[in-house]
Amino acid sequence: EIVPESAWLKLQGWYRGGPAICRRGSRQPSGEVQVEVYGLRLHARFVDPTSEKAAETEVELGRSETVSELREQLRSAFSLPAGRPLRLWRHAD
């Protein structure tokens, strides 16, 4: 929480509302929380080799997240079982 709730309510009152802007934060070794204003946004596609049907999603990662955490996010997004192999590769635009 970067802005205490009481301050957020005052800001909403002064500016007549507005959506909450959610950002990821990571605790540094010093104990300080660093807010990631721009996370890494990835577009992912899952192609089922048995049916050749494709599904797409978008995931956002923080700097401190690992490839294993990315894999878990993708498995969750595509409803894949935990043991199912998952390949990742970069697609050039």
Side-chain angles (χ1 to χ4, degrees):
E1 176 178 280
I2 300 300
V3 178
E5 186 176 0
S6 59
W8 175 250
L9 293 173
K10 287 216 183 260
L11 287 167
Q12 280 193 313
W14 292 338
Y15 295 101
R16 296 184 181 90
I21 301 170
C22 299
R23 297 287 182 243
R24 292 179 187 260
S26 57
R27 189 166 302 281
Q28 302 301 306
S30 65
E32 188 175 85
V33 175
Q34 182 176 8
V35 176
E36 296 181 23
V37 177
Y38 299 104
L40 175 62
R41 184 170 288 169
L42 302 172
H43 298 275
R45 176 179 287 180
F46 171 72
V47 179
D48 185 345
T50 59
S51 67
E52 295 186 15
K53 291 184 180 179
E56 293 186 22
T57 191
E58 190 174 280
V59 294
E60 190 166 324
L61 299 174
R63 278 189 256 160
S64 62
E65 291 185 80
T66 65
V67 173
S68 294
E69 290 169 318
L70 168 60
R71 288 175 186 265
E72 289 310 310
Q73 279 192 39
L74 291 173
R75 281 192 179 99
S76 175
F78 293 122
S79 302
L80 301 174
R84 181 153 184 179
L86 184 66
R87 292 184 194 158
L88 303 174
W89 68 91
R90 180 176 182 258
H91 180 273
D93 290 337

